[in-house]
Amino acid sequence: MLPCSVCVGIREGMGMYRNLGLGLLATASTLTLAAAAQAQTGAPPPPQATAQQQQAASGGGTVLVTANKRQEQLHNVAQAVSAVTQQRVEQLQAFNFADYTKFVPGLTLVQALPGDNELIIRGLNSGGDAATVATYIDEAPYGSSNGLANGTLLAADIDAFDMQRIEVDKGPQGTLYGASTIGGLLKFVTNPPDPGRLAAEAEVGGDEVENAWGWSAKGMLNVPLGPNAALRVDGTDVQTPGFIRDAHRHLNDVNPTGEEGLRASFLWRPVSTVSIRLSAIAQNFDDTDLDAVDLKVNPATGVPLQPLMPAFGDLANAREISGFNHVQNRIYNGTLTWEPGWATLVSSTSYGTYNSQSLADTTAIFDTVEHANLDVTKFTEEDRLQSPAGQRLEWLAGVFYTRENSNLVQRLPAIGGPFSGLLVESAQLTAFYEEEAGFGTVTYHFTPQFDIAVGGRYAHNDQNSQSSVNILGGVTPTAGSSSDSTWTYSVAPRWRPNPDLTVYARIASGYQPGGPNDIAPGAPSDVPRTFGPDTDVSYEIGAKAELLDHTLSVDADVFHIDWNNIQLIAVIANTGVDVNGGRASSDGVEAQGVWTPVRGLTLSANGAYIDARLTTPTNALLGGKSGDPLPFTPKWSGTLDGAYTWPINGDLDAFVGATWTYIGDRKSSFSGSIGQVALPNYNTWDLRAGVNVGRMWTVEVFGKNLGDVRGISSLGGALSAAYVGQSVIVIQPRTVGVTLTARY
């Protein structure tokens, strides 16, 4: 195995973190990233809608969420939860992570490509391999709890068209949701099939970015199959134009993106107390190159110059070849719900697959390119029994089982130079992860106004891995295994002095599983063969209030999180491994509110202050010092939005809206070679306007990032023969478009 001193930074924040045996790119180091409860259609709220309905469309009001694995009004939940509803998504044309994360305080997206997504909640991110935020689609967990499968990048960016809501549960969710929820949970809640009516929706649109055109087509069909069954099918096809120029090859628009998706769900209620729902989701991403702008760097140190400046001009990079990334997400779920009256039984079985195939320009390494292929399969079974709501003693008990298999293959074939036609290096890592858990919560209502919820979870996992590295014909196989157990808990007292005010406190813990390290035979004894789980405990106080005759909804919280045994990628004895690197903390304030001062006018705001930092230093070769900020989380961020709807004539009404978003200063990942790079703050403006013809037709024109700012999502290394240095991923430039929606 080749030594690895900076290989973890080659694609830092831009793609796969893990390089097999951490050897594939090691060569470079030696040479040179609810719906509103009432909403049954996707139509924007009509001008005669009540204030509560308008609030629900903006994320307040009577939105239902499932943070505690039972439906509750968002206003009543004793923890910090945000929900972006279906109506909100459609009004804002916010169908993906990049668009709607700005409406969730405390949530950060680090994205290299639409298929490579890292979610960060409340700053809990160290640049490691494993996810700190879990992703669910209804009852199905998706992604990986296994650090050997690059789980941090596997959050599925499911298109939110015809989605009931996107729910974000903040703070550790280890009690009810288990592994990889130390930061929190993002859950897609899809619209269930409706046996009561035939319904359809179609949307077509076009947009322009940097003088290139894209288009989208989306559709939904809900078909009753008798009085007790229905089928709902959604399809999406979105083509986004490129906007990056290759200065070396004199090419324009080298980074187009295509996304295709299909969702199908069947619901059957054979008797009044039993429902069966079967769902399948397929989504493909096809990306060419990265949204990367190459930077000017200090030639002696490789550190980007400050302020950050493009090396080849605006929206430009330099590459020898075009890279690509093809991602396929597949999620299948069957959920049985039985409600005999005294309790509710929910049994959920899910199976998911992830496959990515990528090609990266690494021609600075012996004129090679990097081929990578990652396959992940995940089977999950969860069964839980819970009491009806509204009792003095409410309870929930469940069991959980998951099994994951992953296979990561990387190859470095030479396309020129002295090794032309030879496979310079290849590596393969297969990993197995199995977990069993039991969990439960009890809520006791001491009075109608005061209750306390207590929960706990015990989880045990077993892992093993096998890997091999082939360097110019020499093969070195290795194997590893690990096992660990973890307890997590939560305690949440809640006080509701009146129906319009909820005050709560919450103490909760979460964990990220450990695992075996992928190391070379004969590695020194001080190279750790395994790494342990990391854990966190959060302390949160919050309040949710409905004010001014229910025209103003306010939700605010303060929190402190202690994060222990942080998982980091480190280099020990020239061997890249996962290690437990000390401690960190996160302190913050989050707030969001919706105000409807007059009929038709909705004003909303959200913001967060987050101070997430190391409290002990990292491994010396990573360069993190006590007090350094955790990567990619701004201290200050916020969004303001205003929307107004008014009648024109008969069934015809018009609407306008504007959104301002601020993302504060951040720092990049820890790096022993270039240090943490400062990333500047930025502001964006979005506008929208349109007309509704009854609830049947909507025409909307919109503009995003109208100031055409170059906001930075992440930073990482580039190893092309045309450019060796650092690049930043930028947000999409000014985009203008139009959509036409028809509903039946």
Short mmCIF file of all heavy atoms in Angstrom, two decimals, residues 236-257:
data_model
loop_
_atom_site.label_atom_id
_atom_site.label_comp_id
_atom_site.label_asym_id
_atom_site.label_seq_id
_atom_site.Cartn_x
_atom_site.Cartn_y
_atom_site.Cartn_z
N THR A 236 -40.68 12.49 -12.77
CA THR A 236 -39.98 13.76 -12.96
C THR A 236 -38.83 13.57 -13.94
O THR A 236 -38.19 12.52 -13.99
CB THR A 236 -39.41 14.30 -11.62
OG1 THR A 236 -38.50 13.33 -11.07
CG2 THR A 236 -40.51 14.57 -10.62
N ASP A 237 -38.60 14.61 -14.71
CA ASP A 237 -37.45 14.65 -15.62
C ASP A 237 -36.97 16.10 -15.65
O ASP A 237 -37.69 16.99 -16.11
CB ASP A 237 -37.85 14.19 -17.02
CG ASP A 237 -36.63 13.95 -17.93
OD1 ASP A 237 -35.53 14.42 -17.57
OD2 ASP A 237 -36.80 13.32 -18.98
N VAL A 238 -35.78 16.34 -15.11
CA VAL A 238 -35.26 17.69 -14.99
C VAL A 238 -33.87 17.74 -15.63
O VAL A 238 -32.99 16.94 -15.28
CB VAL A 238 -35.16 18.12 -13.51
CG1 VAL A 238 -34.61 19.54 -13.40
CG2 VAL A 238 -36.52 18.01 -12.83
N GLN A 239 -33.69 18.65 -16.56
CA GLN A 239 -32.41 18.84 -17.23
C GLN A 239 -31.92 20.25 -16.94
O GLN A 239 -32.55 21.23 -17.33
CB GLN A 239 -32.55 18.62 -18.74
CG GLN A 239 -33.11 17.25 -19.12
CD GLN A 239 -32.21 16.11 -18.71
OE1 GLN A 239 -30.99 16.17 -18.85
NE2 GLN A 239 -32.82 15.04 -18.19
N THR A 240 -30.80 20.35 -16.23
CA THR A 240 -30.24 21.64 -15.83
C THR A 240 -29.02 21.94 -16.69
O THR A 240 -28.12 21.11 -16.81
CB THR A 240 -29.83 21.61 -14.35
OG1 THR A 240 -30.97 21.27 -13.56
CG2 THR A 240 -29.30 22.96 -13.91
N PRO A 241 -28.97 23.12 -17.31
CA PRO A 241 -27.83 23.42 -18.19
C PRO A 241 -26.55 23.65 -17.40
O PRO A 241 -26.57 23.97 -16.21
CB PRO A 241 -28.28 24.71 -18.90
CG PRO A 241 -29.23 25.34 -17.94
CD PRO A 241 -29.94 24.22 -17.25
N GLY A 242 -25.43 23.48 -18.07
CA GLY A 242 -24.15 23.76 -17.46
C GLY A 242 -23.85 25.25 -17.47
O GLY A 242 -24.43 26.02 -18.24
N PHE A 243 -22.91 25.65 -16.61
CA PHE A 243 -22.55 27.07 -16.55
C PHE A 243 -21.05 27.27 -16.30
O PHE A 243 -20.60 28.40 -16.12
CB PHE A 243 -23.35 27.79 -15.46
CG PHE A 243 -23.30 27.12 -14.10
CD1 PHE A 243 -22.27 27.36 -13.23
CD2 PHE A 243 -24.31 26.24 -13.72
CE1 PHE A 243 -22.22 26.75 -11.99
CE2 PHE A 243 -24.29 25.63 -12.47
CZ PHE A 243 -23.24 25.89 -11.60
N ILE A 244 -20.27 26.18 -16.28
CA ILE A 244 -18.83 26.28 -16.08
C ILE A 244 -18.11 26.23 -17.42
O ILE A 244 -18.46 25.44 -18.30
CB ILE A 244 -18.33 25.13 -15.17
CG1 ILE A 244 -18.93 25.26 -13.77
CG2 ILE A 244 -16.80 25.12 -15.09
CD1 ILE A 244 -18.50 26.49 -13.00
N ARG A 245 -17.09 27.07 -17.57
CA ARG A 245 -16.28 27.13 -18.79
C ARG A 245 -14.94 26.45 -18.53
O ARG A 245 -14.30 26.69 -17.50
CB ARG A 245 -16.08 28.59 -19.19
CG ARG A 245 -15.13 28.83 -20.36
CD ARG A 245 -15.11 30.31 -20.72
NE ARG A 245 -14.70 31.11 -19.57
CZ ARG A 245 -13.42 31.42 -19.30
NH1 ARG A 245 -12.45 30.95 -20.08
NH2 ARG A 245 -13.13 32.18 -18.26
N ASP A 246 -14.51 25.59 -19.46
CA ASP A 246 -13.18 24.96 -19.38
C ASP A 246 -12.20 25.80 -20.19
O ASP A 246 -12.24 25.80 -21.43
CB ASP A 246 -13.23 23.53 -19.91
CG ASP A 246 -11.95 22.77 -19.63
OD1 ASP A 246 -10.87 23.28 -20.01
OD2 ASP A 246 -12.01 21.69 -19.04
N ALA A 247 -11.32 26.51 -19.48
CA ALA A 247 -10.39 27.42 -20.16
C ALA A 247 -9.28 26.67 -20.88
O ALA A 247 -8.70 27.20 -21.83
CB ALA A 247 -9.79 28.38 -19.13
N HIS A 248 -8.99 25.45 -20.46
CA HIS A 248 -7.92 24.68 -21.10
C HIS A 248 -8.37 24.09 -22.43
O HIS A 248 -7.64 24.15 -23.43
CB HIS A 248 -7.45 23.57 -20.15
CG HIS A 248 -6.42 22.66 -20.74
ND1 HIS A 248 -5.14 23.08 -21.04
CD2 HIS A 248 -6.48 21.33 -21.08
CE1 HIS A 248 -4.45 22.05 -21.54
NE2 HIS A 248 -5.25 20.99 -21.57
N ARG A 249 -9.59 23.55 -22.44
CA ARG A 249 -10.09 22.90 -23.66
C ARG A 249 -11.01 23.81 -24.47
O ARG A 249 -11.54 23.41 -25.50
CB ARG A 249 -10.83 21.61 -23.28
CG ARG A 249 -9.93 20.54 -22.68
CD ARG A 249 -10.73 19.31 -22.29
NE ARG A 249 -11.63 19.59 -21.17
CZ ARG A 249 -12.70 18.88 -20.87
NH1 ARG A 249 -13.04 17.85 -21.63
NH2 ARG A 249 -13.46 19.20 -19.83
N HIS A 250 -11.20 25.06 -23.98
CA HIS A 250 -12.02 26.05 -24.68
C HIS A 250 -13.44 25.52 -24.92
O HIS A 250 -13.97 25.60 -26.02
CB HIS A 250 -11.37 26.46 -26.01
CG HIS A 250 -9.95 26.91 -25.86
ND1 HIS A 250 -9.60 28.10 -25.25
CD2 HIS A 250 -8.78 26.29 -26.22
CE1 HIS A 250 -8.27 28.22 -25.25
NE2 HIS A 250 -7.75 27.14 -25.82
N LEU A 251 -14.04 25.01 -23.84
CA LEU A 251 -15.41 24.49 -23.91
C LEU A 251 -16.29 25.28 -22.96
O LEU A 251 -15.85 25.71 -21.88
CB LEU A 251 -15.44 23.00 -23.52
CG LEU A 251 -14.64 22.04 -24.40
CD1 LEU A 251 -14.67 20.64 -23.79
CD2 LEU A 251 -15.19 22.02 -25.81
N ASN A 252 -17.55 25.45 -23.34
CA ASN A 252 -18.53 26.13 -22.50
C ASN A 252 -19.54 25.13 -21.94
O ASN A 252 -19.76 24.06 -22.53
CB ASN A 252 -19.27 27.20 -23.29
CG ASN A 252 -18.36 28.33 -23.72
OD1 ASN A 252 -17.47 28.75 -22.97
ND2 ASN A 252 -18.59 28.85 -24.92
N ASP A 253 -20.15 25.48 -20.81
CA ASP A 253 -21.26 24.71 -20.23
C ASP A 253 -20.89 23.24 -20.07
O ASP A 253 -21.59 22.34 -20.52
CB ASP A 253 -22.51 24.84 -21.10
CG ASP A 253 -22.87 26.29 -21.39
OD1 ASP A 253 -22.61 27.13 -20.53
OD2 ASP A 253 -23.41 26.56 -22.49
N VAL A 254 -19.76 22.98 -19.38
CA VAL A 254 -19.25 21.61 -19.30
C VAL A 254 -19.89 20.80 -18.17
O VAL A 254 -19.59 19.62 -18.03
CB VAL A 254 -17.71 21.62 -19.09
CG1 VAL A 254 -17.01 22.25 -20.27
CG2 VAL A 254 -17.33 22.32 -17.78
N ASN A 255 -20.79 21.41 -17.39
CA ASN A 255 -21.31 20.73 -16.20
C ASN A 255 -22.83 20.58 -16.20
O ASN A 255 -23.49 20.86 -15.19
CB ASN A 255 -20.87 21.46 -14.93
CG ASN A 255 -21.41 22.88 -14.87
OD1 ASN A 255 -21.45 23.59 -15.89
ND2 ASN A 255 -21.82 23.32 -13.70
N PRO A 256 -23.45 20.11 -17.28
CA PRO A 256 -24.91 19.90 -17.25
C PRO A 256 -25.28 18.74 -16.32
O PRO A 256 -24.47 17.85 -16.06
CB PRO A 256 -25.25 19.59 -18.70
CG PRO A 256 -24.01 18.97 -19.25
CD PRO A 256 -22.87 19.70 -18.57
N THR A 257 -26.53 18.78 -15.86
CA THR A 257 -27.04 17.76 -14.94
C THR A 257 -28.40 17.27 -15.43
O THR A 257 -29.24 18.07 -15.83
CB THR A 257 -27.20 18.34 -13.52
OG1 THR A 257 -25.92 18.73 -13.03
CG2 THR A 257 -27.80 17.31 -12.58
#
